[in-house]
Amino acid sequence: MNLKRKFDAGEFAVLAEMEPPKGVDVSTMLSNAMRVKGEVDAFVIPEMSNAVMRMSSLGGAMILQGKGMETVMQVNCRDRNRIALQADLLAANGCGITNVMAVAGEDPSFGDHYQARSVYDIDLLELLNAIRGLQDGKDMAGIELSGSPQFLVGSTVDAGAKGKSPELEIEEMTKKIEAGVQFFISPPLFDLSAIHPFMKRVDIQKTKIIPTVLLLKSLGMARYIMRNVDNVYITDSLIDRIQKSPDKVRECTQIASEMVTSLKKEGFSGVNLATLGWEHKLPEILERI
Amino acid sequence: MIVADRKPIEEIIAEIKEHEKILILGCNECVTVCEAGGKKEVGVLASALRMYFLNQGRDVKLDEITLERQCDHEYLEEIRDVIDQYDAVVSLACGVGVQFMAEKYHTMPVYPGVNTCFLGVTEKRGLWTERCQACGQCILARTGGICPVSRCAKRILNGPCGGSTQGSCEINKEISCAWQLIIDRLKALDRLDDYEQIDPIKDWSTDRAGGPRKVEREDVQQ
Ligand code: SF4
Ligand code: SF4
């Protein structure tokens, strides 16, 4: 319950994404997580991000929890109907997972199983209401549970995303808050000014916004994001900075560390570190904060 | 054909009751055959609505037109000259017609007058049943011309599931087990060997599950 305690105390929380393996060899995930166990308040376990089939969030979260690490499990409506979603939520809480995050999930056409049928039996808001129902002791059919789960509930908000209207985003966020969401993870942020129009309209003392800090791995990746990723804003000066650096990888971890520090200074509730397979770089990012 | 069923009149009234000049627009194709939205049903609905507004002491203009189709520009254009006389349209076409109408007459409120149900057949007068879910990659050649996608409750492609009894589906005795039908038909065709073949895993990306679809044919485009 470290994460909830931090939020309650108004302290800066450090989250880090830990992608489960495509397979059952969990040794890399475990060793990467163990190395930063002390610095990270909770590990966010993606639920098959980009619709690429791999070990589920529930599975990955259970493995880390088993080693004494706190996790945030992700759930989405793409692959499971209301029966399976509720069953997994009960399983998670029964296994000690107390943080859950409802996410939209990318369409199967983006992933490696593009022939799959997506489910979408319920939508994200209905899922959030279902989570609240379970916490109140009833399932979606209105049947009483024997012991109800208790979760810290999170979701996503496209704060600071390129091409999104802050007004619409705030409306969306308000709906989610009404459905019980207590914290929000926002897309990768490389420039604080991108999120300012959004932040002007929310009270960050009250609404817990956790921007994602994405570790760039190369100049190519930075350029690719700048040109092709719709909701992320990268400036020319950042590209310049990486280009001029003799040690680009080191520069990129430095950029990530600086971003975390500035988020802390700005009064955000925390940060979500995304390293996309470079989880071994987490110690380097964290030691400079 | 596309099979539709009548919408409860209370539902239609709830949507249109504020309007004063209403066009009830029928369609002469599928919905006429399934007796939900043709000329006859347009008349029945219009009379019922007239009665309702009369009882409310309201003078509401209610006109009836039935087009050949509502899913083609050509026929929808036929009402271009009269559409301005109305402040709402109740379309008794299937959901396709309702939407095409709304797309074409962008500022005109259009309300659905039927519930669009499925792609099916008239088994006998007053009984329509489902036959196809438009999955986009027809497998009927392998299943003796009987579709497990639309007719098996579990949509299994290598059936039966084991729960079928005396030819009925395990989830509803009133419905035939699609796989029993497939086996019977393959037997009749002397092709039971086909039944032994395991069907490859289906690509659902061409189904609605893969997102809204389109068919584009350059050879017939002008
Ligand atoms: S296999 Fe697909 S296209 Fe063929 S009848 Fe069944 S649903 Fe329709
Ligand atoms: S009994 Fe037949 S139709 Fe019903 S689910 Fe099983 S295989 Fe499908």
Side-chain angles (χ1 to χ4, degrees), chain A residues 51-254:
Chain A
V52 171
M53 194 291 297
R54 47 177 63 246
M55 184 183 284
S56 67
S57 179
L58 173 59
M62 277 171 62
I63 288 165
L64 293 194
Q65 295 267 149
K67 299 280 181 200
M69 287 172 267
E70 187 168 337
T71 58
V72 179
M73 178 179 87
Q74 286 192 347
V75 277
N76 70 41
C77 302
R78 178 190 62 215
D79 310 316
R80 290 175 176 78
N81 69 7
R82 68 188 80 184
I83 301 175
L85 285 167
Q86 294 179 97
D88 281 356
L89 286 161
L90 296 183
N93 206 237
C95 293
I97 297 165
T98 52
N99 310 309
V100 67
M101 207 186 138
V103 297
E106 294 83 1
D107 191 79
S109 59
F110 293 109
D112 59 355
H113 285 58
Y114 66 92
Q115 299 177 323
R117 273 185 94 93
S118 43
V119 178
Y120 298 116
D121 172 36
I122 54 174
D123 67 22
L124 202 59
L125 279 175
E126 288 163 338
L127 171 61
L128 288 168
N129 283 321
I131 295 174
R132 184 161 48 195
L134 293 176
Q135 305 203 77
D136 292 343
K138 288 211 166 122
D139 70 11
M140 287 180 80
I143 298 166
E144 210 151 309
L145 302 175
S146 127
S148 50
Q150 291 310 316
F151 288 112
L152 175 75
V153 183
S155 190
T156 52
V157 64
D158 261 348
K162 201 162 70 177
K164 296 272 173 152
S165 127
E167 281 81 16
L168 279 181
E169 283 312 313
I170 284 173
E171 234 170 76
E172 181 87 28
M173 190 175 77
T174 313
K175 275 195 214 155
K176 287 180 176 172
I177 293 173
E178 280 163 15
V181 173
Q182 295 149 287
F183 70 94
F184 291 90
I185 291 188
S186 66
L189 197 61
F190 291 96
D191 181 1
L192 274 177
S193 67
I195 204 171
H196 279 151
F198 181 89
M199 299 319 291
K200 257 195 253 151
R201 295 169 171 84
V202 288
D203 179 356
I204 56 169
Q205 304 305 326
K206 274 213 239 127
T207 311
K208 310 236 167 283
I209 310 272
I210 322 262
T212 297
V213 167
L214 174 68
L215 174 65
L216 295 168
K217 296 177 184 173
S218 63
L219 182 61
M221 178 181 174
R223 283 212 178 107
Y224 179 86
I225 292 178
M226 182 160 110
R227 293 194 191 123
N228 301 306
V229 180
D230 286 347
N231 61 352
V232 179
Y233 186 70
I234 289 188
T235 57
D236 288 328
S237 62
L238 191 75
I239 300 275
D240 245 28
R241 175 172 167 191
I242 303 170
Q243 199 164 22
K244 286 195 183 123
S245 164
D247 183 347
K248 299 195 169 39
V249 171
R250 215 188 127 72
E251 194 65 35
C252 287
T253 52
Q254 178 66 33

